[in-house]
Amino acid sequence: MKKHPVGTRVRITIALDPQQYPVGTEATVTGYSWTGFPQVTLDDGPTVTLIPGQLLPA
């Protein structure tokens, strides 16, 4: 699993919930869940937990 450091800007590449965060949405990595999944804050506010491979550097 590729880790993105906290504070890194990323782009979502797989939209599991396209209404909340469509493909191409940019976000900031804010941490990691206890399972190691990245947690990101979307530019419009909410924080979501993603699955590995769901984001790339912005």
Side-chain angles (χ1 to χ4, degrees), residues 1-24:
M1 165 176 11
K2 183 177 181 181
K3 296 249 182 180
H4 300 278
V6 171
T8 301
R9 295 284 298 159
V10 293
R11 182 172 288 121
I12 295 174
T13 59
I14 300 171
L16 299 179
D17 182 354
Q19 290 187 350
Q20 183 176 7
Y21 50 89
V23 170

Side-chain angles (χ1 to χ4, degrees), residues 6-56:
V6 171
T8 301
R9 295 284 298 159
V10 293
R11 182 172 288 121
I12 295 174
T13 59
I14 300 171
L16 299 179
D17 182 354
Q19 290 187 350
Q20 183 176 7
Y21 50 89
V23 170
T25 299
E26 291 196 8
T28 303
V29 177
T30 54
Y32 284 87
S33 70
W34 65 272
T35 56
F37 291 179
Q39 295 173 322
V40 300
T41 299
L42 305 175
D43 289 344
D44 60 359
T47 297
V48 294
T49 300
L50 304 176
I51 60 171
Q54 197 174 351
L55 35 99
L56 291 173

